[in-house]
Amino acid sequence: MNLKEFAARIGLSQTTVSRAMSGYPEVRPETRARVLEAAERLGYRPNISAQRLATGRAGAIGIVFRGGGRFGPHSSEFMGGLSTRLQKDGIDILLSTVETEDDEAAAYRRLAASKRVDAVIVHTPACTDDRIVLLRALGLPFILHGRSEAKKPFAYLDIDNFGAIETATRYLAGLGHRRIALINGDTASTYARDRDDGFRAALEVCGLSLDAALTGHGEFTDETGFRLMQAFLALPAPPTAVIAGSMMSALGAMRAIRIAGLTVGRDVSLIAHDDVFPYLSPDNLMPALTTTQSPIRAAGERIGDMVLRMLQGEAVETLQEVWPVEFIVRGSTGPAPA
Amino acid sequence: MNLKEFAARIGLSQTTVSRAMSGYPEVRPETRARVLEAAERLGYRPNISAQRLATGRAGAIGIVFRGGGRFGPHSSEFMGGLSTRLQKDGIDILLSTVETEDDEAAAYRRLAASKRVDAVIVHTPACTDDRIVLLRALGLPFILHGRSEAKKPFAYLDIDNFGAIETATRYLAGLGHRRIALINGDTASTYARDRDDGFRAALEVCGLSLDAALTGHGEFTDETGFRLMQAFLALPAPPTAVIAGSMMSALGAMRAIRIAGLTVGRDVSLIAHDDVFPYLSPDNLMPALTTTQSPIRAAGERIGDMVLRMLQGEAVETLQEVWPVEFIVRGSTGPAPA
DNA sequence: CTGAAAGCGCTTACAG
DNA sequence: CTGAAAGCGCTTACAG
């Protein structure tokens, strides 16, 4: 049933019905109630494509994942939160997957030209990120999950990566650890640089020197965590403590420690950053894992919120947030072995 | 730039341009080439909403997740595959998250009434599933990821859950295990029933009796795997082998075994079903995990394929697939202890 | 092989 | 507070 039929059916004009359904003020409350009731009863819903064409709004937010759509557990938690929030306002999520950086740029051009989305969410930004320049040029509104450098202000939500790793490192130093290792992510990303910076800052404050051999970079997978940890342990002077960038890296690191015949929390202290996965809790590991934690699902919900406000015209300067990261001590950290 | 402007710019009618761009045959090759080149050069792209309104096609496929959008690692792999495939045909994915079963039904009604999607993908079906009845009534095409009972045929892609668990169970029995446990998923689901059936069938063939205390059901999380395994080990006659429904359950089970002072692969054999996660490989666990495996990402791609064929009018009878599951022996399984 | 024009189902300025 | 009508930007039967 379309608007014409529906309006005829209840004896009102299309105009009035349209206004009643979209919550415009200039319609009498009784009329609105009558329209809404009838729509519910007869199962009328405006055709979404027509609505979008008429208003010029796409009613959708885009998000592009690189690497063949291989979004991992972090992305899926984030998307869960984002979807939950946007759902409430009837805004769709348009999920795109691409291979290369160039493909990603092409995807934004397409999205902009075909007016498929009203805004996009950009994630895992690099310290200086070409995507920001491109999206500005295209006039496609965007919000960053993470931070980046740029002349002009833009909307973003980030967590305090610097503070998280700084706190973790200082805590370990306070326990007497002198050789602390860091399993970090992809070097090009802002978050990884921030974590490196926080790590260095803490070492300096604590009078410890930075040993390049004790910092590793790579994907947040079990395998990379394992390999990097094995390399650390093979060093002439292996670390007595390690900070892993994610729960997945931590699983690999724990395994490497165990295989070396060492005990987590006694011979080697371990702290992991936890994005909070409902299916893998640090409390459940053995020993329970000391973590820096920040719920990525909540971040997804919040970004959904912010993007909607941005589309309502709110200034980007007021859409900038950095979330503190919680530090939770559990059993995987202990005094440095004598 | 819209069609009118673009057509004027290159001195052709809107009709011809439209036909050239959508690949219709009745346009001269040179004309088409000229149009395509100009579109590329001038950055013209048809407005997607107008296109959809005119054709009556939504250009999107819907998928609804229950439980507050808490789709776990399995869903995200599946979505990655699905997205990659649909992307190629310019079809969007509409991701919805709901809380309850009723919300899910309401979501389908909304999607159908507003013509927001051309079809939906239904996952984790129950043995008899109300959603099938509803979608039929709504006239909304659908495809199942999994199987279910229904009078009339429908499109589906499932993996051979029965065969997977049957094979695993028989393998363990062949190693001399007499007490084998199963960590299964939510009982209402077809896949869990199929696994239970495969388990029972294998036990029977091998002359082993079924012990209800050795079958557990629950979510595929580390925690549930841990709890169920601890319960098994606390039994007067604990199992010497266990089959876990997912890599997450397996992690929890391994931990429980280890805490009990037992060794995986020697005291207790462990087999897990692996949906193939790029960030957590069974080869990397310690010991490497014997698995039944089926790539859920590939299933997502394939379902994307099938749904597109369905929309092109292919009969649902030809859109039914059951994928065999691979069985890969690694170090976590060994002879039953004497 | 190409074009003029109707139609897809909404929204919204304008008039009352 | 309500309605008649133009317009959003495409596609496609119909005519040539």
Side-chain angles (χ1 to χ4, degrees):
Chain A
M1 174 163 30
N2 61 24
L3 176 58
K4 195 171 167 185
E5 290 159 24
F6 176 62
R9 186 87 170 262
I10 62 173
L12 281 170
S13 73
Q14 300 186 213
T15 312
T16 302
V17 170
S18 170
R19 281 201 275 245
M21 301 231 13
S22 31
Y24 270 61
E26 67 267 69
V27 67
R28 222 171 30 177
E30 305 91 87
T31 313
R32 181 191 311 287
R34 185 170 137 226
V35 170
L36 259 28
E37 181 277 325
E40 179 68 29
R41 184 162 42 81
L42 302 173
Y44 169 70
R45 282 241 152 206
N47 177 302
I48 200 80
S49 302
Q51 217 166 26
R52 286 173 181 177
L53 177 59
T55 58
R57 271 176 260 118
I61 302 296
I63 183 163
V64 179
F65 288 92
R66 226 184 275 168
R70 192 155 275 115
F71 57 75
H74 310 85
S75 320
S76 90
E77 275 302 297
F78 179 82
M79 291 293 288
L82 180 66
S83 160
T84 303
R85 178 61 191 87
L86 294 182
Q87 178 88 0
K88 286 186 192 146
D89 283 50
I91 301 295
D92 297 340
I93 294 179
L94 188 58
L95 187 70
S96 280
T97 58
V98 298
E99 291 298 333
T100 68
E101 209 170 317
D102 287 349
D103 292 345
E104 184 173 353
Y108 292 133
R109 289 179 200 284
R110 256 199 323 273
L111 292 174
S114 61
K115 299 218 194 305
R116 222 180 181 92
V117 298
D118 296 314
V120 293
I121 293 167
V122 172
H123 58 95
T124 328
C127 303
T128 60
D129 201 303
D130 291 340
R131 295 175 292 182
I132 296 177
V133 180
L134 173 64
L135 291 167
R136 280 241 160 84
L138 293 172
L140 186 57
F142 64 94
I143 180 167
L144 251 68
H145 184 206
R147 264 173 294 179
S148 187
E149 266 133 45
K151 308 128 281 292
K152 296 209 296 188
F154 53 82
Y156 64 77
L157 170 65
D158 197 5
I159 65 170
D160 182 13
N161 284 297
F162 181 99
I165 302 305
E166 192 197 22
T167 303
T169 309
R170 292 175 69 160
Y171 179 77
L172 290 169
L175 286 171
H177 294 276
R178 322 307 300 168
R179 294 190 55 74
I180 303 170
L182 176 67
I183 296 176
N184 205 343
D186 174 27
T187 21
S189 307
T190 312
Y191 81 86
R193 190 205 51 190
D194 289 349
R195 290 180 182 189
D196 276 340
D197 289 352
F199 185 56
R200 260 196 296 271
L203 291 179
E204 190 162 336
V205 162
C206 301
L208 298 175
S209 59
L210 180 76
D211 179 348
L214 291 181
T215 302
H217 295 270
E219 287 177 303
F220 285 150
T221 63
D222 164 82
E223 187 177 352
T224 301
F226 180 72
R227 280 211 322 263
L228 288 174
M229 191 68 218
Q230 278 209 317
F232 292 152
L233 293 174
L235 252 27
T240 60
V242 58
I243 301 172
S246 83
M247 290 290 284
M248 306 302 153
S249 325
L251 288 176
M254 287 177 96
R255 198 153 37 82
I257 295 168
R258 208 171 279 131
I259 287 183
L262 303 170
T263 301
V264 174
R266 196 189 63 195
D267 303 314
V268 182
S269 285
L270 176 61
I271 297 177
H273 181 73
D274 176 19
D275 292 284
V276 188
F277 302 116
Y279 47 85
L280 183 61
S281 158
D283 271 316
N284 284 341
L285 295 186
M286 186 60 207
L289 207 52
T290 296
T291 57
T292 57
Q293 89 170 39
S294 182
I296 192 166
R297 157 168 275 275
E301 290 190 33
R302 184 61 170 179
I303 284 207
D305 222 83
M306 292 168 79
V307 80
L308 293 173
R309 283 159 55 200
M310 182 168 70
L311 290 177
Q312 268 147 28
E314 202 168 313
V316 293
E317 285 84 352
T318 66
L319 295 168
Q320 304 179 326
E321 295 187 5
V322 177
W323 285 10
V325 172
E326 259 193 287
F327 183 57
I328 299 172
V329 177
R330 298 192 185 85
S332 67
T333 42
Chain B
M1 174 163 32
N2 61 24
L3 176 58
K4 195 170 167 187
E5 290 159 23
F6 176 62
R9 186 88 169 261
I10 62 173
L12 282 170
S13 74
Q14 299 185 214
T15 313
T16 302
V17 170
S18 172
R19 282 200 274 244
M21 300 228 20
S22 30
Y24 270 63
E26 68 268 69
V27 67
R28 221 171 31 175
E30 304 92 87
T31 312
R32 181 190 313 286
R34 186 170 136 225
V35 170
L36 259 30
E37 179 278 324
E40 179 68 29
R41 183 163 40 81
L42 302 174
Y44 168 70
R45 282 240 152 206
N47 177 303
I48 199 81
S49 302
Q51 218 165 27
R52 286 172 181 178
L53 176 58
T55 58
R57 274 176 258 118
I61 302 297
I63 182 163
V64 179
F65 288 93
R66 227 184 274 169
R70 192 156 273 117
F71 56 75
H74 310 86
S75 320
S76 91
E77 275 303 297
F78 179 82
M79 292 293 288
L82 180 66
S83 160
T84 302
R85 177 62 191 88
L86 294 182
Q87 179 87 1
K88 286 187 190 145
D89 283 48
I91 301 295
D92 297 340
I93 295 178
L94 190 57
L95 188 70
S96 280
T97 57
V98 299
E99 291 298 332
T100 68
E101 210 171 317
D102 286 349
D103 292 345
E104 185 174 351
Y108 292 133
R109 289 179 200 283
R110 256 200 322 274
L111 291 175
S114 62
K115 298 217 194 305
R116 223 181 180 90
V117 298
D118 296 314
V120 294
I121 293 167
V122 172
H123 57 95
T124 328
C127 302
T128 59
D129 201 302
D130 291 339
R131 295 176 292 182
I132 296 178
V133 180
L134 173 63
L135 291 168
R136 280 241 161 83
L138 292 172
L140 187 56
F142 64 94
I143 179 167
L144 251 69
H145 184 206
R147 264 173 294 180
S148 187
E149 268 134 45
K151 308 128 283 291
K152 296 209 298 189
F154 53 83
Y156 65 77
L157 171 64
D158 197 5
I159 64 170
D160 182 13
N161 283 298
F162 180 99
I165 302 306
E166 192 198 22
T167 302
T169 309
R170 291 176 68 161
Y171 179 76
L172 290 169
L175 286 172
H177 294 275
R178 321 307 300 166
R179 295 192 54 74
I180 304 171
L182 176 65
I183 296 177
N184 205 344
D186 174 28
T187 21
S189 308
T190 312
Y191 81 87
R193 189 206 52 187
D194 289 349
R195 290 180 182 189
D196 276 341
D197 289 352
F199 186 55
R200 260 196 296 270
L203 291 180
E204 190 160 336
V205 162
C206 301
L208 299 175
S209 60
L210 180 75
D211 179 349
L214 290 182
T215 302
H217 294 269
E219 287 178 303
F220 285 150
T221 63
D222 164 82
E223 188 177 352
T224 301
F226 180 72
R227 280 211 322 263
L228 288 173
M229 191 69 219
Q230 278 208 318
F232 292 151
L233 293 174
L235 252 29
T240 61
V242 59
I243 300 173
S246 84
M247 290 290 285
M248 306 302 153
S249 325
L251 287 176
M254 286 176 96
R255 198 152 37 80
I257 295 168
R258 209 172 278 131
I259 287 184
L262 302 171
T263 300
V264 173
R266 197 191 59 197
D267 303 314
V268 182
S269 285
L270 176 61
I271 297 178
H273 181 73
D274 176 19
D275 291 284
V276 189
F277 302 117
Y279 46 85
L280 184 62
S281 158
D283 271 316
N284 284 341
L285 295 186
M286 187 60 205
L289 206 53
T290 295
T291 56
T292 57
Q293 89 171 39
S294 183
I296 191 166
R297 155 169 276 274
E301 290 190 34
R302 182 61 170 180
I303 284 208
D305 223 83
M306 293 168 79
V307 79
L308 293 173
R309 283 158 57 199
M310 182 167 71
L311 292 177
Q312 267 148 28
E314 203 168 312
V316 293
E317 285 84 354
T318 66
L319 296 169
Q320 304 180 327
E321 295 187 6
V322 178
W323 285 11
V325 172
E326 258 193 288
F327 183 57
I328 298 172
V329 177
R330 298 193 185 84
S332 67
T333 41

